[in-house]
Amino acid sequence: MSEPAITPELVAAHGLKPDEYERLLEIIGREPTFTELGIFSAMWNEHCSYKSSKIHLRKLPTKGPQVICGPGENAGVVDIGDGQAVVFKMESHNHPSYIEPHQGAATGVGGILRDVFTMGARPIAAMNSLSFGLPDHPKTAHLVKGVVEGVGSYGNAFGVPTVGGEVRFHRSYNGNCLVNAFAAGLADTDKIFYSAASGVGMPVVYLGAKTGRDGVGGATMASAEFDDTIEEKRPTVQVGDPFTEKRLLEACLELMASGAVISIQDMGAAGLTCSAVEMGDKGGLGIKLQLDDVPQRETHMTAYEMMLSESQERMLMVLRPEMEAEARAIFVKWDLDFAIVGETIPEDRFLVLHGNEVKADLPLSKLSSSAPEYDRSWVDTPAAAPLGELPEIGPVAGLKALIGSPSYAHKAWVYEQYDAQVGADTVVTPGLSAGVVRVHGTGKALAFTSDVTPRYVKANPYEGGKQAVAEAWRNLCAVGALPLATTDNLNFGNPEKPEIMGQFVGALKGIGAACEALDMPIVSGNVSLYNETDGKGILPTPTIGAVGLLKSLDDLIAGRPVEGDLAVMVGHANGHLGQSALLAEAFGIEAGDAPPVDLSAERLHGEFIRANRKSFRACSDLSDGGLALAGFEMAEGAKTGLWIDSEDIGFLFGEDQARYLLAVPQESLAGLQAAAKVAGVHLALVGQFGGSKVTLGTDAAPLAELAAIYRGAFAATLGV
C-alpha cells in the first residue's frame, strides 16, 4: 500500500506547526515517511510531550522523605512503612469521553489502572473527578449516564473499589466534559518496577490484547480543541475490556515475581510508539521493532496504524532472554498474547520494520527528551472586583438552593453504580470527606480524596491552586489520616492564549506553595490542555488527588453526630461570599475574589484535628456551601436535626478556609476547649445536633423535607 505524500495540509492534520515541522526536518535531514510523521506527531503533541507545561511543572515540589519515586514514571511511589508503598496517579480522558462517553470513561479507568500495576502494585482503590455542562444542556444527561456507566462497568468488572470523587456542573463544560480518573495500588518497596530499558540485545516483548485500529490518532486528538468536526473524531476513541485487563494484571504480577522483567511500560497514549520510545530514552538505548510480529486483530494493518493504535490492555516489556520460555508460559496460561517484537540496540535509533521495509529510522532520543519546549507568553488574571450588594435570601431558602442543585445534591445515583466494597477492604465508602481502604493484612489504612473549586481558580488562580491542595489536606485530616502526597490533573483551555496560560502558571504557583507548606509533594500527574470548543474554554480545573495514611484504624474519624452533640467550629468565620456556591446556585452570580488560604492555619488546624480525634464524634471540613451545607450533610447522614445559632448569611454560607465542623459530646467540650487554647486554635460553639428540624437562626424546615430534596435532586434534575 503506497503511503500518502507529505503535504503542508497533512502535517497540519497531524497537529504539527510549520516551525515544528522545520525542526523535524533539521533533526532527520530529509522528508519523513508517513509513519515517521505519525511518530513525531504522537511524541511531540501536547498530551505526550508536555511542551507547553514542563517548564512550569519543574518548579513543583516533588521530593520528601516519604517519596520513593516522583514524576516521570508511570505513577508516583510513596513509602507507608513496614516495607510497603502506595503507588498512585490521576489522568484525564476528557476528549474521548465527550465523543463516546461510555468507552471514553471506561478506557480512562483502564489506562490509569495499568499505570499503577505496571509499577508492580496491585490496585486497591479508584476515584474519579467529573465535570459536566449545565443539566439542561442537550448533551449533559447523555454524557452523565454514559460516563458513570463506563466508570462503573470497567472498575466493577476489573475488581477495584471506587471510594471517592467529585461531580460538578457548569456551563463552561457544555462542549467539553472532564473525566479525571485516579487509581492507587500497593507494592513492596523492594519490588517496584520501572520503565527504563537496560542491556543491549535484550528482547522487547509485546504483552496482552491484540492490536486493532481503535484509538489511532487518539493522543493527537486529545491535544486539539473541538469544533464542528467532532463526529469525525469518533474512531479515535478506544474500546476497553476489563476482563482482559484483569487477566493482564494477574499475568504481569506473576511475571514480575518470576524475576524475568528488566523494564515494563503500559501502552497508553500513542500506544506502541510512546511506550517503546520512553523505554529506550530512559535507558539511553535504541529500539528496533519488527511489526510483522505484532499480534493483530484486524487484517492489512499498516505500520502507521500499528505504531499509533491505542488499543487497550497492552504492555511492552524488556525481558531477560534466558527466561523467555517461563514468561511465555505465564501469558499462555492467562490466555494473553506474548510476542517478541524487537530488541534493544546500542545506537540512538528508533528502527521500525514492516514487510521487509524500513518504515521509520529516527534518532530515538530526539523523539522524547528533545521534543519542543515552549515558554508561552502569559498574563496575570486581573484582580477580582469586590462584591457589590447581594440579593437577599433566607437561610433555609439558601440551603434548599444548594441541596436542590445537582452539584451539591446527594450523589448516591452516581456512586451506587460503583462497587465500593469489592476486595472487602473498604472501610469508608463515598459520602464522607475521604474514602478509606484497609492495607490488607495489617492494621493500617489509606485515605483518598480528590478536590478543586474551579470558580476560585478562574477568579484567582494562585489562591484557587492553594485552595485545591488545602481542601485535599482537610479532607484527609477530617478522617484522621496523615496527608502523604498528591497527584495532579491539570485541566485548562488553549495554552496559546496568554490569559489561559496565566491561569495555568498562577494555579501551579499556588499548588506548589501549598504542597510545600503542607508536606504533600506532587509525585505524579497529567496535563490536559486545549479543553475548548469553538474557542470557549472550560473553567480552569486543576484537580488534586491526595493520599493519607492511618497507622491504625483506631485513628479513624468516621462517626456520625448523635442527639445532643454540640456543633463546634474550628477556625474563624469571616463571611467570605466571593465565588461562593450560594451565589452561584441561588442567583447565578460568579463574582468577587476567591477566599484567601492561610497555609499555616491549614496546617495548625489539621494537626489539631488529628491530635484531638478522641474528643469528638464526627468531623467535616468546611468548603463549598460553608457551615450550613456541611452541618446539614452531617445531620442528614445521621438522620438527626441541627440547630445553628445564627441566621447571618455570611456566617452560614461563607467559604472561609482552614475550618472544620465537629460533633462534640457535651462532656468532651471543656477538654477540647482547653486543648485548643494550648494549641492556639480558635473554637466556636455554633449550635447543637438533635430534633427533627434544621434550624438556622429562627428559620427552620423539617429534616425529612430537606432530605427528600437532597436525595432526589440529582436524578430529578438530570432526568436519569
Side-chain angles (χ1 to χ4, degrees), residues 435-472:
V436 179
V437 177
R438 185 185 296 106
V439 178
H440 195 79
T442 76
K444 297 181 297 194
L446 289 164
F448 304 99
T449 188
S450 161
D451 292 286
V452 65
T453 307
R455 291 188 312 276
Y456 294 173
V457 186
K458 184 174 184 187
N460 188 326
Y462 179 69
E463 292 296 335
K466 282 165 61 181
Q467 192 276 337
V469 177
E471 189 176 341

Side-chain angles (χ1 to χ4, degrees), residues 555-680:
D555 294 336
L556 177 67
I557 304 168
R560 302 279 192 187
V562 302
E563 184 94 16
D565 278 354
L566 301 172
V568 176
M569 184 174 68
V570 176
H572 289 278
N574 298 316
H576 185 98
L577 286 169
Q579 298 300 330
S580 65
L582 177 72
L583 295 192
E585 299 298 344
F587 306 112
I589 294 172
E590 292 175 28
D593 201 355
V597 179
D598 180 338
L599 292 169
S600 60
E602 292 286 2
R603 182 162 192 137
L604 176 66
H605 294 176
E607 289 172 349
F608 176 80
I609 292 294
R610 297 199 308 275
N612 292 279
R613 69 189 89 208
K614 302 304 181 190
S615 298
F616 49 87
R617 204 182 316 269
C619 176
S620 174
D621 87 299
L622 302 192
S623 53
D624 286 45
L627 176 61
L629 184 58
F632 167 77
E633 288 175 343
M634 289 174 74
E636 199 275 342
K639 297 182 172 55
T640 187
L642 169 68
W643 163 65
I644 294 178
D645 186 18
S646 176
E647 51 194 52
D648 179 79
I649 294 299
F651 182 82
L652 291 169
F653 296 99
E655 296 180 4
D656 306 287
Q657 300 296 295
R659 295 188 302 154
Y660 299 81
L661 180 62
L662 310 178
V664 181
Q666 294 186 34
E667 65 274 15
S668 300
L669 179 63
L672 188 66
Q673 288 173 325
K677 189 172 183 180
V678 170

Side-chain angles (χ1 to χ4, degrees), residues 206-274:
Y206 174 114
L207 307 168
K210 288 179 167 55
T211 293
R213 291 185 173 92
D214 49 328
V216 172
T220 302
M221 175 271 291
S223 303
E225 295 179 34
F226 282 149
D227 52 29
D228 55 11
T229 65
I230 185 170
E231 285 303 316
E232 297 169 20
K233 297 181 171 74
R234 192 171 296 276
T236 59
V237 178
Q238 313 93 317
V239 177
D241 178 354
F243 299 105
T244 297
E245 179 124 331
K246 174 65 172 170
R247 286 184 285 122
L248 183 61
L249 162 73
E250 300 299 343
C252 284
L253 293 182
E254 188 174 338
L255 186 65
M256 289 164 171
S258 76
V261 178
I262 294 174
S263 66
I264 189 163
Q265 173 80 33
D266 87 292
M267 287 196 230
L272 192 54
T273 290
C274 196

Side-chain angles (χ1 to χ4, degrees), residues 195-425:
S195 58
S198 65
V200 173
M202 297 295 167
V204 175
V205 185
Y206 174 114
L207 307 168
K210 288 179 167 55
T211 293
R213 291 185 173 92
D214 49 328
V216 172
T220 302
M221 175 271 291
S223 303
E225 295 179 34
F226 282 149
D227 52 29
D228 55 11
T229 65
I230 185 170
E231 285 303 316
E232 297 169 20
K233 297 181 171 74
R234 192 171 296 276
T236 59
V237 178
Q238 313 93 317
V239 177
D241 178 354
F243 299 105
T244 297
E245 179 124 331
K246 174 65 172 170
R247 286 184 285 122
L248 183 61
L249 162 73
E250 300 299 343
C252 284
L253 293 182
E254 188 174 338
L255 186 65
M256 289 164 171
S258 76
V261 178
I262 294 174
S263 66
I264 189 163
Q265 173 80 33
D266 87 292
M267 287 196 230
L272 192 54
T273 290
C274 196
S275 55
V277 169
E278 287 191 3
M279 288 174 80
D281 187 54
K282 287 175 184 173
L285 294 167
I287 299 280
K288 176 183 176 183
L289 294 179
Q290 176 51 262
L291 297 186
D292 298 270
D293 297 327
V294 170
Q296 299 159 54
R297 59 176 159 78
E298 299 187 48
T299 57
H300 308 301
M301 287 191 72
T302 65
Y304 178 96
E305 289 169 332
M306 279 187 271
M307 291 307 295
L308 298 186
S309 166
E310 293 183 6
S311 294
Q312 296 292 286
E313 294 85 44
R314 300 181 302 158
M315 296 281 198
L316 201 63
M317 176 183 71
V318 177
L319 174 74
R320 298 191 191 283
E322 68 275 14
M323 299 192 70
E324 179 191 335
E326 185 177 342
R328 187 183 297 275
I330 291 170
F331 275 75
V332 168
K333 180 182 79 174
W334 287 101
D335 193 24
L336 292 164
D337 278 292
F338 177 102
I340 295 175
V341 296
E343 63 177 339
T344 58
I345 56 177
E347 304 91 355
D348 179 21
R349 288 175 81 189
F350 190 37
L351 185 59
V352 179
L353 308 173
H354 187 222
N356 298 317
E357 288 182 42
V358 174
K359 293 296 184 180
D361 189 354
L362 300 168
L364 186 143
S365 64
K366 301 293 186 188
L367 290 166
S368 181
S369 49
S370 298
E373 184 172 319
Y374 297 123
D375 186 1
R376 296 199 185 277
S377 60
W378 57 275
V379 294
D380 277 320
T381 299
L387 276 178
E389 189 154 342
L390 298 174
E392 289 190 8
I393 192 168
V396 170
L399 181 60
K400 286 180 177 179
L402 287 176
I403 63 177
S405 72
S407 288
Y408 300 106
H410 199 264
K411 301 297 190 307
W413 184 89
V414 176
Y415 62 69
E416 285 176 358
Q417 296 186 55
Y418 307 149
D419 189 339
Q421 295 289 1
V422 62
D425 279 320

